[in-house]
Amino acid sequence: MARPKFQVGDTVRIKDRTTLFHTRTQKFIRKRVGTIVEHRPEWVIPEDEAWDRMETGRKEPFYVIRFKQTELWPDYTGLAHDTLETEASESWLEAVKG
């Protein structure tokens, strides 16, 4: 089992990668900054799971990331403290300094 690269409380940005097939990383969170709020168990990444590579697929830690709604949608008119939480695998994340 790989040691998680990120810790709860870390600030991360979702990478904007080209994908040819299935991914669980939603388009609307790509390039956006959020905060790690929970670790999930290491699992086969969705890009391999889609091809039924459960035994031989690449495994990575997963994280729950919390985003401010205003970070995702600049024209958001709800409350400033409204958030959204979603999950992403480690290879989709990059650290944000400061």
Side-chain angles (χ1 to χ4, degrees):
M1 184 167 179
R3 182 179 174 96
K5 180 178 177 180
F6 300 103
Q7 302 301 315
V8 171
D10 286 352
T11 302
V12 295
R13 181 181 325 277
I14 308 299
K15 295 177 184 177
D16 187 22
R17 302 189 330 195
T18 301
T19 57
L20 298 175
F21 305 106
H22 173 75
T23 179
R24 200 177 333 168
T25 306
Q26 304 96 336
K27 270 272 207 227
F28 66 87
I29 67 170
R30 296 181 192 182
K31 298 184 187 179
R32 305 298 186 185
V33 173
T35 303
I36 303 288
V37 295
E38 186 179 338
H39 287 124
R40 295 291 173 120
E42 184 176 84
W43 191 253
V44 175
I45 62 172
E47 293 84 347
D48 288 352
E49 188 177 8
W51 292 96
D52 199 26
R53 295 181 181 149
M54 298 305 292
E55 299 299 321
T56 61
R58 296 165 288 174
K59 292 184 178 181
E60 294 183 9
F62 279 73
Y63 303 87
V64 176
I65 304 105
R66 179 179 295 148
F67 298 90
K68 290 182 178 180
Q69 296 278 23
T70 54
E71 170 70 19
L72 299 175
W73 297 283
D75 296 332
Y76 182 73
T77 60
L79 299 175
H81 64 270
D82 288 350
T83 60
L84 175 139
E85 292 182 3
T86 190
E87 189 177 84
S89 63
E90 191 168 87
S91 63
W92 279 92
L93 307 178
E94 59 187 9
V96 173
K97 302 296 182 208

